[in-house]
Amino acid sequence: MTAVERSPEELERVRKRVEELRELIRKYDYYYYVLNRPLVSDAEYDALFRELQELEEKYPELVTPDSPTQRVGAPPAEEFRQVRHAIPMLSLQNCFTEEEFREWDRRVKRMLGTEEVVYVCEPKLDGLGVELVYENGVFTVGSTRGDGYVGEDVTNNLKTIKQVPLRLLSDEIPVPKLLEVRGEVYMEKEDFKRLNEERAKRGEPLFANPRNAAAGSLRQLDPSVTASRPLKVFFYGLGRIEGYEIRSQEELLRTLPKWGLPVNPLWEVCRGPDEAIAFYKKVLDMREELPYEADGIVVKVNDFSQREILGEIARAPRWAIAFKFPAEQRTTRVLDIVVQVGRTGVLTPVAILEPVEVGGATVSRATLHNEDEIRRKDIRIGDWVIVQRAGGVIPEIVAPIPERRTGQEREFRMPDRCPVCGGPVVRPEGEVAHRCTNISCPARIKESIRHFASRRAADIQGLGEKVVDKLVDSGLVKRISDLYRLTKMDLLRLEGFADKSAENLLGEIEKSKGISLARFIYALGIPHVGERLAEILAENFDSIDDLARATEEELMRIEGIGPEVARSIVEFFKNPENRKLIEELKAAGLNPRREVKAGPLAGRTFVFTGALSSMTREEAKRLVEELGGRVASTVSRKVDYVVVGENPGSKYEKARALGIPIITEEEFLKLVGKK
Ligand code: IVH
């Protein structure tokens, strides 16, 4: 059928349904991607989306550029069109110390002739500045900042970011005739890490930091590549606006979400420099915990009419300043590159560095992942290198500084014999990793026992590194299950054990038989299964045998489990060695079942943020679990309480934003009957 043959009534009926579907999908997208609060199940959403796609396929004349179906599917471009910003996108002046910041504040006050200025402070995200144009509520053009005057047209790429509304919401307030809204496209640290891990596996070059990853992902001629990258966006600024008045930054940040435009929930109105400095310190303290890289805060004069008075200088406004955090990159020297053997036999090269302070911690080692990575980065023993703490904690070498080479540097070569057991090392076809092939390599055994006994796994106190060394080196323990056959006599024969310490360790080992299913799964050390995934698995399977029987398809139906993890789990349980270990552990008395949540906190979920004064996080978690409750690592609608300790992190802000009950440590202790 062609459009001509359709009756006007039929077309009208379909048009109505299409509009209805778009409305619903827009609303569901907004709740899901902007508010993090899904309204419907994935299946329900998919059904609506498919219905819309089918109708649009059948009635192409009804397709509009702002239809939710139009996010992906634009063809690759030859080159980026240039877009001139109606109002230039300025850059920011920087300051690095409290004194410089106070100096700026005094200048602002002097120019405005006031005693005190009201500021709005926001984290400065390390991403890519963009401008999006909405005409009568419809997204028409999106561009990068470029040189501030002319940027690149990345409209189709921006459309693939689910947080970007293709049409503004108008339920609460009317939409402006014209809106040029500015913000930052960025990548969360976790997503960045995952992306790089995937790239490493495929042998593709790695991105140096989340900023480069975001920029590289957005500036793609083929929008389907952008669509596959985990990009996010926060809005914080205005270009032109017509048909709606906004008079201050505070008003802007409160208004944008009403149009469906995501705003970073972490911002504050600050009266005077002291409050701004307090905000700076707060964000600096929670920097590690923030899901994104922040390289400072931006302090902006709140009142737009005051901004006009201040004007700009040298391409930067006088009304805003970036108050930068101390650098998290330093230079140091690679003293040596050593090789570690992990519990799966993988040989990991590790750089031994001249100790250097980076972002508040001393760094003396950095993993180099594998030989390919060392080649790719061309890191040599003796090199001067740039180190950084990526995504917070794990130090890494960004790049060598070849200009500082003396000719004395040595290239690293992976040994062909295991440095621990002397067994042959192979690099399996298609893998980047070298492995020690000796399954009874003491390094592998020690590592797997250490992991098994660690605090977050079986939590066998007293089974530290040294004791594991003694147990394995003496031949008493050859596999994890041997731990459960140890006798007091055995231990007393070892150096350093006395009556009491031997009894304590045996008591701890005995206690570990009561291990929860989640901890047990984690303790097994299944590749790719960390603590969080272990928890998810434990919520979905009744016992370890139940999990062992799961197929890849079954596993992938669980939210949070992708194909790679599913494959890894199935492989693990296929391995006869692993099956044998599980049988032996079961025979020793470890056979956890899915937790029957009983107890006063049954069904309650807690999140902790900040330092507790009366106990460690681990102890608090145990306490909640003993009483039948659950501890989650991230704040979502499903959380019942957020417990705030000293110096709380972003979880606190998120809880506030979501309206989740926030309680103090005192209140928590009362709740669990400890006070
Ligand atoms: S305001 C003239 N706010 O930093 C006002 N910028 O170094 C400039 N940025 O190009 C923008 N987070 O891409 C502003 N909360 C924030 C920001 C932010 C990151 C970026 C932005 C800008 C660059 C200037």
Side-chain angles (χ1 to χ4, degrees):
M1 223 181 356
T2 66
V4 195
E5 292 167 65
R6 282 172 192 143
S7 72
E9 293 77 30
E10 181 195 351
L11 207 57
E12 188 48 30
R13 190 173 44 75
V14 177
R15 202 188 52 75
K16 265 216 177 110
R17 177 63 184 157
V18 163
E19 263 317 308
E20 204 172 272
L21 288 167
R22 288 178 187 160
E23 256 336 81
L24 277 175
I25 293 169
R26 262 179 217 126
K27 178 160 131 197
Y28 295 158
D29 278 346
Y30 171 68
Y31 273 83
Y32 191 93
Y33 294 108
V34 180
L35 303 180
N36 284 322
R37 225 167 76 201
L39 283 186
V40 290
S41 71
D42 289 358
E44 212 171 314
Y45 179 91
D46 291 343
L48 293 175
F49 201 89
R50 261 199 311 278
E51 185 185 345
L52 177 61
Q53 272 177 326
E54 281 163 17
L55 286 176
E56 289 184 348
E57 223 166 273
K58 223 167 132 197
Y59 300 85
E61 65 269 42
L62 294 181
V63 177
T64 56
D66 65 334
S67 171
T69 58
Q70 301 303 298
R71 285 197 186 272
V72 273
E78 293 277 313
E79 56 171 11
F80 291 112
R81 211 171 53 87
Q82 296 210 320
V83 176
R84 180 164 288 277
H85 304 296
I87 300 176
M89 291 178 78
L90 302 175
S91 57
L92 288 169
Q93 23 174 353
N94 288 328
C95 67
F96 295 89
T97 63
E98 220 179 285
E99 205 22 66
E100 286 172 350
F101 174 69
R102 288 186 189 280
E103 180 59 44
W104 173 80
D105 165 68
R106 280 194 291 272
R107 209 161 49 233
V108 169
K109 282 191 293 214
R110 207 165 46 234
M111 288 191 67
L112 291 175
T114 54
E115 292 282 293
E116 188 182 270
V117 182
V118 178
Y119 299 114
V120 166
C121 299
E122 305 158 13
K124 184 171 187 301
L125 263 63
D126 211 3
L128 189 71
V130 291
E131 178 170 77
L132 282 74
V133 182
Y134 286 87
E135 289 172 58
N136 295 314
V138 178
F139 176 39
T140 50
V141 179
S143 53
T144 59
R145 175 173 176 272
D147 64 4
Y149 300 92
V150 176
E152 289 170 329
D153 184 339
V154 286
T155 311
N156 289 326
N157 307 63
L158 285 166
K159 279 187 176 178
T160 68
I161 302 176
K162 296 282 190 23
Q163 285 182 313
V164 169
L166 301 184
R167 176 197 278 265
L168 298 179
L169 300 180
S170 55
D171 324 346
E172 263 188 81
I173 51 168
V175 300
K177 218 162 94 49
L178 173 72
L179 173 71
E180 292 174 353
V181 67
R182 294 166 177 188
E184 200 82 358
V185 169
Y186 67 97
M187 198 176 282
E188 291 195 344
K189 294 186 277 199
E190 280 291 315
D191 288 329
F192 163 74
K193 230 177 79 194
R194 219 169 300 131
L195 177 66
N196 258 355
E197 280 164 11
E198 287 163 12
R199 290 174 72 83
K201 268 193 214 120
R202 290 195 298 261
E204 293 167 3
L206 304 186
F207 289 114
N209 51 49
R211 201 204 103 76
N212 288 1
S217 300
L218 189 67
R219 297 182 61 254
Q220 282 285 340
L221 288 168
D222 182 356
S224 73
V225 176
T226 311
S228 73
R229 303 278 174 78
L231 292 177
K232 295 200 148 190
V233 63
F234 278 137
F235 293 100
Y236 50 66
L238 267 186
R240 291 181 299 177
I241 178 164
E242 287 167 17
Y244 197 99
E245 199 179 7
I246 292 179
R247 294 186 203 84
S248 69
Q249 185 69 8
E250 182 181 6
E251 204 184 325
L252 176 71
L253 297 180
R254 293 195 192 284
T255 306
L256 294 179
K258 296 184 181 155
W259 287 324
L261 295 160
V263 163
N264 189 342
L266 183 55
W267 60 272
E268 265 173 34
V269 175
C270 295
R271 290 169 194 284
D274 292 341
E275 287 187 19
I277 290 166
F279 182 81
Y280 171 90
K281 289 189 175 143
K282 184 171 105 176
V283 181
L284 182 57
D285 272 344
M286 62 200 272
R287 188 177 185 189
E288 310 258 287
E289 283 180 67
L290 290 173
Y292 45 79
E293 292 284 0
D295 57 350
I297 65 164
V298 185
V299 184
K300 305 174 181 179
V301 171
N302 185 39
D303 188 327
F304 286 0
S305 59
Q306 287 185 325
R307 290 188 183 182
E308 281 193 37
I309 299 171
L310 291 163
E312 63 192 64
I313 180 173
R315 288 186 175 201
R318 284 201 193 84
W319 49 261
I321 193 161
F323 189 173
K324 296 293 243 343
F325 293 145
E328 283 202 289
Q329 281 197 346
R330 282 287 169 350
T331 56
T332 187
R333 273 187 69 203
V334 177
L335 302 176
D336 198 3
I337 297 179
V338 300
V339 172
Q340 273 179 355
V341 186
R343 62 174 190 267
T344 54
V346 170
L347 269 60
T348 308
V350 177
I352 306 297
L353 305 168
E354 207 157 72
V356 63
E357 175 139 332
V358 189
T362 303
V363 172
S364 53
R365 317 160 62 86
T367 169
L368 293 165
H369 305 290
N370 54 59
E371 197 178 26
D372 286 359
E373 166 125 333
I374 299 179
R375 295 269 166 282
R376 194 164 40 228
K377 290 187 174 169
D378 186 25
I379 295 164
R380 304 180 194 170
I381 299 165
D383 262 346
W384 279 93
V385 290
I386 299 167
V387 289
Q388 72 178 13
R389 295 209 298 146
V393 267
I394 309 147
E396 65 168 17
I397 296 183
V398 183
I401 310 172
E403 294 75 19
R404 293 182 74 169
R405 281 189 182 144
T406 61
Q408 300 293 298
E409 297 73 19
R410 279 183 299 128
E411 281 195 26
F412 167 81
R413 271 191 53 110
M414 211 48 148
D416 47 19
R417 293 264 147 197
C418 171
V420 177
C421 71
V425 167
V426 298
R427 178 174 175 170
E429 196 55 43
E431 276 192 30
V432 289
H434 286 73
R435 282 174 201 274
C436 165
T437 50
N438 173 13
I439 53 161
S440 29
C441 169
R444 293 180 62 166
I445 295 170
K446 284 177 185 172
E447 271 310 306
S448 56
I449 294 173
R450 270 182 211 132
H451 174 75
F452 184 85
S454 64
R455 232 151 45 95
R456 292 151 186 273
D459 191 19
I460 304 177
Q461 283 176 34
L463 199 55
E465 201 157 320
K466 294 229 173 70
V467 177
V468 172
D469 281 348
K470 279 182 213 162
L471 288 171
V472 175
D473 293 342
S474 67
L476 274 173
V477 173
K478 295 198 179 64
R479 35 198 297 114
I480 294 169
S481 49
D482 290 343
L483 291 174
Y484 294 91
R485 277 193 281 269
L486 287 174
T487 63
K488 192 167 160 188
M489 279 309 287
D490 288 337
L491 294 179
L492 287 177
R493 283 212 314 265
L494 295 179
E495 195 199 307
F497 271 101
D499 250 26
K500 186 97 183 89
S501 50
E503 271 166 27
N504 284 349
L505 180 56
L506 290 176
E508 280 289 323
I509 293 174
E510 186 60 31
K511 207 174 81 194
S512 71
K513 292 180 182 172
I515 190 171
S516 73
L517 182 56
R519 281 170 173 266
F520 188 61
I521 296 171
Y522 173 64
L524 290 175
I526 306 169
H528 301 298
V529 178
E531 223 183 340
R532 177 79 197 105
L533 270 177
E535 273 170 23
I536 294 177
L537 290 168
E539 282 163 17
N540 284 278
F541 293 92
D542 286 331
S543 65
I544 198 73
D545 290 332
D546 203 22
L547 173 62
R549 277 191 295 269
T551 63
E552 283 184 37
E553 292 72 41
E554 280 167 342
L555 288 164
M556 273 162 60
R557 258 180 256 137
I558 299 168
E559 197 183 315
I561 296 187
E564 191 183 353
V565 175
R567 200 173 320 121
S568 171
I569 294 169
V570 170
E571 294 261 296
F572 181 87
F573 287 108
K574 248 204 266 165
N575 182 332
E577 270 298 311
N578 295 331
R579 295 189 92 95
K580 185 168 152 225
L581 171 66
I582 290 163
E583 285 312 315
E584 287 167 351
L585 289 174
K586 271 163 54 185
L590 286 83
N591 196 6
R593 314 239 118 219
R594 191 203 324 237
E595 270 132 87
V596 230
K597 301 271 158 109
L601 299 185
R604 297 291 163 86
T605 302
F606 289 74
V607 163
F608 291 89
T609 176
L612 302 175
S613 60
S614 64
M615 59 180 86
T616 64
R617 282 264 185 103
E618 203 52 36
E619 285 162 350
K621 179 170 182 192
R622 189 84 69 77
L623 195 57
V624 169
E625 284 171 355
E626 272 165 15
L627 296 174
R630 214 174 72 82
V631 174
S633 48
T634 56
V635 176
S636 72
R637 287 268 148 198
K638 293 197 188 117
V639 171
D640 298 286
Y641 297 101
V642 172
V643 184
V644 215
E646 195 81 18
N647 292 324
S650 59
K651 291 176 200 161
Y652 171 67
E653 302 290 341
K654 178 131 189 234
R656 250 188 21 183
L658 292 177
I660 292 164
I662 295 168
I663 60 174
T664 60
E665 184 173 352
E666 279 281 320
E667 291 166 321
F668 168 69
L669 291 174
K670 277 199 197 119
L671 197 69
V672 296
K674 291 270 161 184
K675 259 221 162 127

